[in-house]
Amino acid sequence: MGIRTNILARVYLAFGLVLLLAIAVVVQLCRLQYVQGDKWKAMAADLSAQYQTVEAARGNIFSVDGSLLATSVPEYELHMDMLAGGIASDTAFNNNIDLLAAKLSGMFGDRSAREYSRVLREARRDSSRYVLIRRKVSYQDLKKIRQFPVFNMGKYKGGLIVIQKNRRILPFQSLAARTIGYKNENVKNPVGLEGAYSAYINGESGRRLMQRIPGGIWMPVDDDDEIAPKDGADIISTINVNFQDVAQDALKKQLVKSAADHGCVVLMEVSTGEIRAIANYTRTKDGDYKEQMNYAISNAIDPGSTFKLASYMTMLDQHKIDTSTIVNAEGGKYKFPKGPTITDTEHDNYEMSVKRAFEESSNVAAAKLVDRFYHNNPWEYINKLYSYHLNEKLQLQIPGEGRPVIKNPSNRSWNKNYSLPEMAYGYEMNITPLQMLAYYNSVANNGKMIAPLLVREIRRLGNPIEQFQARVINEQVCSEATLGKVRGMLEGVVLNGTGKNVIKNKLYSVAGKTGTAQVANGTKGYKDKKYQASFCGYFPADHPKYSMIVVINNPTQGDYLAAKVAGPVFREVADRVYANDLDINQTSQAHFVGNTVMPQVKQGNMKALKKVYSKLGVKPLYASANSTVDTSNGIPFEEVKYKNGTVPAVTGMGLSDALYVMGNAGYKVTVRGSGIVTNQSVTGGSAIPKGSRILIELQ
């Protein structure tokens, strides 16, 4: 073959390959255009514009007295379109941008006016349509920013792009923080009320059309194509803010004094099961105490001597003993044949009545009695405990409840010589503080055992959509006769027993039981000598209104006995609750004839004032302040009223009422002094713009 032929062959081959490649390209183009065209068009549209979720404002959580425990505060993220219509021309931009920069600098103070001007001009050169101006802007600041140069041209001409975000805050900060809980996308298990009722609180998300611009940034396209979110429902909890504050303060004070690991307090209303306060504190590495875990509902461990109530109730209800039955406490120490050695805190307990053994919290007496009557038939004792539902969860309204364990002979860990005597005084079992409180509450509630409540109702736009009442666990835990006897025994603990030196007081009666228990430390067992101090009871004992439990774990300074560690917390909380709750049927003070001087009052919350006067036996007279008043009939009241757009008259009010009225009317307040409002810088009834600042002076 000649050279010419060889060259031609190679040319034809190359040409043929190019032709085939061109045909393949044309075929693929046709395939993309006509066969897969719809697919790629949809993908392109999806990459450049798509609907994104707009999170709804979460509902509020209120206390039972209407105080705000958790709420969502709107925050705004501000961006700017540097090519907006109002500044499209360079002349319009240059004439206004320095004025805008000066205003932004004055508002935020994070940059000088020159720096703001430089940033905005650089964004203009880059033709940025979505430059970030500021994050976390309040609504009040946003209203001012809308009046700034450029931005005051309007939504489209001014180029201001506002993205609303919601921030969850707790107005009372750490108050009941663990019970309120939180919502966190990174946490699977719900926490507190926020987690348990998220379906109500979350609301319904909206949607907004967003467009992807250079730099991978998404910006809103058109507000007219936005579907607004629906705000969540509100939760009305059973927590009382004042009682919660008292409980947390008393608990933390005792934890610091005892240098304890952690502790909890739960205050519950007897008849309704509504929890008025629930405090939990854990010692942190730096020695401070914070709410990190809800021990009251989750910490299921040996309850100790508070469980003796169940043992004695069982024996009394099954007619094994009576309160006068004599038992030998063996001097406070007894070794069971083939079983454990049981000891009492006091070592001078010998022959005594069952009632006295309960009052002195004799471990030996309780263990001997339970072993004597149930050693050959432990199921008789266990089944009675199960009838109290102490082995079942309370099915609380929030997650995280610990699982109670009351062992029985079918368990592998059951020991025929050890288990019964140990269980008699609260060992070899697991019960949470709230489960124990629910049981004690049944004694205060005439034998009816109910599940505790943390949520009273759910409201949407102020209207109740769901209400809750306590679930009845057991209509009658024991007979009326047994109930009367155990009540007397519980009162005896405070009057004559382990609680008499700390909890007993002259103003009201208390019934309850101390409990000092050793706490096991994993595989080490009880070698570390760690203790748990608790007191569970109710008050006033003659007509119970509240039940309460206090548990303090591992006190390392001072005493470790329950009466001296948990007792002071119970006493302080009970005293403060008794002093502040006018519905506890306190003995009314006598009003003598001739005492015509009425109590001094402040203007403001007339509803609260009328309630106080009612409890004091003072008759209110509802009349106009301009009317002639017959003073023999009572006291005239007139609600504080003001015309919308005018300044309210707050002279004569206390500070809290004055701030409330002024705030609702839309004015800012500067306060000087303390006491009662004696003067205000703007006279009531004056018409001044909302947002103006008013000085009030108190004496």
Side-chain angles (χ1 to χ4, degrees):
M1 181 182 296
I3 295 175
R4 182 173 178 279
T5 305
N6 188 25
I7 292 173
L8 287 174
R10 292 182 180 182
V11 170
Y12 291 147
L13 178 61
F15 180 77
L17 292 174
V18 170
L19 183 61
L20 289 174
L21 181 61
I23 294 172
V25 170
V26 171
V27 170
Q28 184 65 15
L29 286 174
C30 294
R31 182 169 174 267
L32 290 174
Q33 180 71 27
Y34 300 106
V35 179
Q36 298 181 344
D38 293 340
K39 171 187 173 183
W40 294 110
K41 287 177 183 178
M43 185 177 295
D46 189 51
L47 290 172
S48 62
Q50 65 180 22
Y51 284 101
Q52 293 187 1
T53 299
V54 179
E55 185 179 0
R58 308 191 78 217
N60 299 320
I61 298 179
F62 292 94
S63 67
V64 71
D65 54 350
S67 300
L68 196 58
L69 298 177
T71 188
S72 292
V73 175
E75 287 184 339
Y76 300 90
E77 189 174 282
L78 307 184
H79 295 259
M80 184 176 179
D81 180 1
M82 305 308 297
L83 301 179
I87 52 174
S89 68
D90 291 340
T91 301
F93 177 81
N94 292 324
N95 288 342
N96 291 282
I97 205 65
D98 288 335
L99 296 174
L100 175 60
K103 286 288 189 178
L104 292 173
S105 177
M107 168 68 75
F108 302 124
D110 56 338
R111 297 173 179 171
S112 66
R114 180 175 295 182
E115 287 177 307
Y116 263 111
S117 179
R118 178 180 55 80
V119 170
L120 295 175
R121 291 179 184 279
E122 288 179 354
R124 171 79 168 192
R125 285 196 298 270
D126 296 337
S127 300
S128 176
R129 306 297 302 269
Y130 198 61
V131 62
L132 176 65
I133 301 297
R134 183 78 176 183
R135 290 190 174 93
K136 297 182 179 180
V137 176
S138 70
Y139 177 69
Q140 295 298 327
D141 286 343
L142 176 61
K143 289 199 298 184
K144 297 176 182 178
I145 291 169
R146 291 187 189 276
Q147 305 305 315
F148 285 2
V150 180
F151 294 157
N152 60 8
M153 296 180 185
K155 185 188 331 184
Y156 300 108
K157 288 185 178 181
L160 180 62
I161 302 171
V162 179
I163 304 297
Q164 179 177 332
K165 298 179 180 294
N166 296 307
R167 178 169 62 92
R168 199 67 167 168
I169 64 168
L170 305 180
F172 290 95
Q173 298 179 347
S174 63
L175 204 70
R178 191 67 189 182
T179 303
I180 295 170
Y182 54 86
K183 177 190 176 185
N184 191 327
E185 299 296 339
N186 298 321
V187 179
K188 291 184 178 179
N189 297 324
V191 178
L193 298 176
E194 292 272 21
Y197 289 87
S198 60
Y200 292 98
I201 298 176
N202 287 349
E204 297 180 16
S205 298
R207 68 173 190 173
R208 177 189 294 128
L209 184 61
M210 305 286 283
Q211 182 178 12
R212 190 172 186 177
I213 62 176
I217 299 173
W218 291 91
M219 65 174 288
V221 176
D222 188 356
D223 289 345
D224 295 334
D225 201 23
E226 179 179 328
I227 298 177
K230 294 181 180 179
D231 293 347
D234 296 331
I235 302 298
I236 310 302
S237 75
T238 62
I239 299 295
N240 180 296
V241 170
N242 294 325
F243 295 168
Q244 179 71 31
D245 187 39
V246 168
Q248 290 190 191
D249 182 64
L251 176 62
K252 188 173 184 178
K253 187 164 49 179
Q254 185 62 43
L255 288 171
V256 171
K257 180 180 179 180
S258 301
D261 287 349
H262 57 79
C264 66
V265 176
V266 185
L267 176 72
M268 184 163 71
E269 196 170 87
V270 169
S271 61
T272 64
E274 294 186 352
I275 294 177
R276 294 287 177 249
I278 177 168
N280 299 270
Y281 278 121
T282 306
R283 183 166 59 185
T284 59
K285 292 181 180 180
D286 59 3
D288 194 11
Y289 288 90
K290 295 183 178 179
E291 280 214 332
Q292 295 182 338
M293 182 176 179
N294 201 329
Y295 295 101
I297 71 168
S298 65
N299 197 30
I301 60 174
D302 295 329
S305 291
T306 53
F307 189 79
K308 288 175 184 173
L309 174 64
S311 294
Y312 280 101
M313 180 185 287
T314 296
M315 292 184 287
L316 286 166
D317 213 41
Q318 294 179 341
H319 307 291
K320 306 289 187 184
I321 58 171
D322 201 350
T323 54
S324 59
T325 301
I326 301 300
V327 58
N328 189 350
E330 309 289 349
K333 187 174 183 178
Y334 180 72
K335 173 69 171 70
F336 280 83
K338 300 181 181 181
T341 299
I342 308 294
T343 59
D344 291 346
T345 302
E346 301 293 336
H347 296 291
D348 57 354
N349 293 330
Y350 290 92
E351 288 194 350
M352 60 178 72
S353 68
V354 161
K355 185 175 186 297
R356 187 62 184 163
F358 186 82
E359 293 170 353
E360 291 295 327
S361 196
S362 171
N363 299 331
V364 172
K368 285 184 65 179
L369 288 169
V370 169
D371 189 67
R372 179 200 306 175
F373 295 117
Y374 302 105
H375 183 82
N376 295 323
N377 185 15
W379 275 108
E380 185 180 7
Y381 174 72
I382 299 299
N383 284 333
K384 187 63 174 177
L385 296 181
Y386 287 174
S387 74
Y388 306 143
H389 300 273
L390 291 173
N391 61 319
E392 301 172 9
K393 286 187 176 183
L394 296 170
Q395 300 177 29
L396 300 175
Q397 294 171 303
I398 61 175
E401 182 180 6
R403 185 173 68 89
V405 176
I406 305 290
K407 67 166 56 177
N408 61 61
S410 65
N411 297 126
R412 294 180 60 183
S413 60
W414 181 269
N415 185 298
K416 65 179 181 179
N417 297 311
Y418 276 79
S419 293
L420 269 179
E422 295 285 356
M423 291 176 65
Y425 64 108
Y427 286 89
E428 296 205 26
M429 64 182 65
N430 294 324
I431 298 178
T432 69
L434 191 52
Q435 289 159 358
M436 182 57 69
L437 177 61
Y439 175 61
Y440 270 71
N441 192 78
S442 70
V443 176
N445 197 28
N446 297 317
K448 180 187 288 189
M449 187 174 180
I450 55 179
L453 282 179
L454 281 160
V455 176
R456 174 179 283 186
E457 67 181 30
I458 299 171
R459 293 179 185 170
R460 189 178 296 278
L461 300 177
N463 299 312
I465 59 175
E466 191 166 354
Q467 295 178 321
F468 303 96
Q469 292 184 339
R471 177 178 56 88
V472 177
I473 299 174
N474 192 332
E475 283 286 354
Q476 196 70 31
V477 293
C478 63
S479 67
E480 291 288 342
T482 299
L483 189 64
K485 293 174 183 177
V486 295
R487 277 185 165 179
M489 293 165 68
L490 289 169
E491 291 179 45
V493 170
V494 178
L495 292 173
N496 310 305
T498 55
K500 65 181 179 181
N501 294 325
V502 179
I503 302 167
K504 179 181 177 182
N505 64 76
K506 298 178 180 179
L507 295 176
Y508 60 94
S509 55
V510 176
K513 181 73 184 72
T514 55
T516 305
Q518 276 192 267
V519 180
N521 184 14
T523 57
K524 294 182 180 179
Y526 300 97
K527 295 180 181 179
D528 289 346
K529 297 291 182 181
K530 289 187 175 183
Y531 293 91
Q532 174 180 276
S534 60
F535 186 89
C536 192
Y538 53 86
F539 64 94
D542 52 346
H543 48 277
K545 175 72 182 292
Y546 296 102
S547 58
M548 178 167 40
I549 188 168
V550 178
V551 180
I552 295 179
N553 186 277
N554 192 30
T556 59
Q557 291 182 5
D559 215 313
Y560 66 89
L561 295 179
K564 297 180 179 180
V565 178
V569 181
F570 190 100
R571 173 67 184 269
E572 182 175 348
V573 176
D575 282 353
R576 298 280 293 276
V577 170
Y578 183 80
N580 285 279
D581 189 341
L582 297 175
D583 293 326
I584 302 188
N585 300 324
Q586 300 180 45
T587 303
S588 300
Q589 295 182 353
H591 294 276
F592 298 102
V593 175
N595 181 15
T596 58
V597 179
M598 303 310 300
Q600 184 179 2
V601 302
K602 301 176 183 178
Q603 295 296 319
N605 191 338
M606 291 295 108
K607 183 178 179 182
L609 183 59
K610 293 170 188 175
K611 184 175 181 181
V612 172
Y613 273 149
S614 175
K615 293 299 179 182
L616 292 175
V618 179
K619 179 182 177 183
L621 174 67
Y622 306 103
S624 170
N626 298 324
S627 302
T628 301
V629 177
D630 179 1
T631 56
S632 65
N633 288 339
I635 301 173
F637 290 97
E638 185 177 41
E639 293 287 350
V640 176
K641 298 179 180 179
Y642 62 91
K643 185 178 180 181
N644 190 24
T646 63
V647 177
V650 297
T651 303
M653 293 187 184
L655 178 59
S656 61
D657 284 336
L659 292 176
Y660 177 83
V661 173
M662 284 291 192
N664 278 353
Y667 298 104
K668 298 180 180 178
V669 179
T670 300
V671 179
R672 182 180 297 164
S674 61
I676 299 175
V677 179
T678 58
N679 188 33
Q680 59 187 87
S681 61
V682 180
T683 307
S686 302
I688 63 173
K690 289 187 177 181
S692 301
R693 186 167 294 278
I694 298 174
L695 171 67
I696 61 173
E697 297 178 343
L698 297 87
Q699 289 184 356

